[in-house]
Amino acid sequence: MGFGMRDSIERLRAKLKYVWSLRACESIIGWDQLVMMPAGGGGVRAEQKAALSEAAHSALIDDSFRKALDEAEETVCNLPEDSDDRCLVRAARWHFERARALPTTLVKELAHATGLAYPAWVEARKNKDFTSFVPYLEKVYKLSREAAHCYGFKEHVYDALLEGYEPGMTASKVSSLFSELKRPLVELVASITSSGKQPSVDLLEQDFAVNIQRRFVEQLAPMIGFDMTRGRIDLSVHPFCSASSSRDVRLTLRYCSRNLPSAVFGLLHEAGHGMYEQGSPSRFDGTPLKGGCSLGIHESQSRLWENHVGRSREFWEYHYPRLQAIFPYQLQGYSIDEFYKAINKVRPSFIRVEADEVTYCLHILLRFEIECKLLEGALEVTDIPEVWNSLMEEYLGIVPPDDAAGCLQDVHWSEGLIGYFPTYCLGSLAAAQIWEKASTEIEHLGEYIARGDYEPLRSWLAQNIYCHGAKFFPEELMVRSTGRPLEVRPFLQYLQRKFSDIYAI
Ligand code: ZN
């Protein structure tokens, strides 16, 4: 490569570094707001965040950025498609096109509408009163539809919004995956709920002192491979993972004495996200190639640790005796078998975030159907509760007592996050497919896990997933790491095997 060619990539890299440094600062003050900031700081913090985000946005859509991008594009066109530089330029183009697609007026209108919709949603949920939320949600949907048209799409208006969370994915691909999933899942739930063998969850419904839970969980993080020299764990109302670079990855958790699984599986989930971020090569820091390749793939990493590792019997063969030792009064009388079945209890429930592994995706299928119809204009916002409740009955056999336990439960729509939900279910599918592949390539994986040795799994993930950062679209990453595009079979097989054993069906 000639001298001038190198220069054009370095020019683009410098511009990207500026934008991604601002974004990193935004993520740190966002973390601070949820973890450290005194309550009074809210108004000023919103202005600070807006200033950083505006600076990053205008640097990204600036003419000088476009010029650097055009030049770098010419330079890399003869490089191999999977070279770092070519992937970097492709990612920069993607971010540039997304950023400049929306006119500033629409961005402001959306920010204004969601700024009003969020408190209206909080109020409506508190009062179980969907009607009061309708005008706000109508506005958010109207503006989101406009945004979708600005982004552009080939097939379905939904694609334009989904692209922002899961690049390359389309509504029609999601539809076909979900329709393959629907019947087997509904049938599995039905045979589980009618099984005569229902595990008892009594052992979990006890008090587990929060300080002891916390010590256990904070020891667990480095044991599974979360690097505490490049990460930390704090408290927040809702658990999350935030990474400003591969060297600064922060997890948050919440503890409740009556809910031990919430902290344990919350840690495994967030540490799964965190290890993905820490495993992203440091040469990608300060560029759009840092971190994970999409929300769905990110979610696959959290669910892999939470469910495939954390809810397996092998995992608890090592950790249950440790747990019994610190909670002797609560757990001494219960066998590992009883514990394993209790943490894998399947029960149709109203609230998505509390759903088990089997019913979870059905909550997502329902939201996806509703979002598509709303965007197409085939459904009015006022009709959401009715459709929601009838789909809940069809999929899970239960009807929410009110809208707070139904269509008002999630924050997403009030924040304008439309097209986001499918990534949760895509994450479960990808987790099962990646797990299946890892299990065939790592001999005796289960035995390693039963001994508390996670190194073979982590290095497999590092070599097949982490090392790529955000270089590839999710579909390509799946093909590279598992040999196939995303499928539903591994997920269904995993569930059927595991739960037919637990429920004797
Ligand atoms: Zn997650």
Side-chain angles (χ1 to χ4, degrees), residues 269 273 299 302:
H269 183 100
H273 283 303
E299 203 59 15
S302 55

Side-chain angles (χ1 to χ4, degrees), residues 120 123-125 127-137 408:
E123 201 52 25
R125 188 169 76 149
N127 302 328
K128 303 172 180 165
D129 174 20
F130 184 74
T131 318
S132 70
F133 184 49
V134 167
Y136 299 93
L137 190 57
L408 281 173

Side-chain angles (χ1 to χ4, degrees), residues 29 42 83 172 178 233 235 239 340 454 469 500:
I29 65 170
S83 66
S172 85
F178 284 7
I233 307 174
L235 300 177
Y340 168 70
Y454 309 101
S500 61

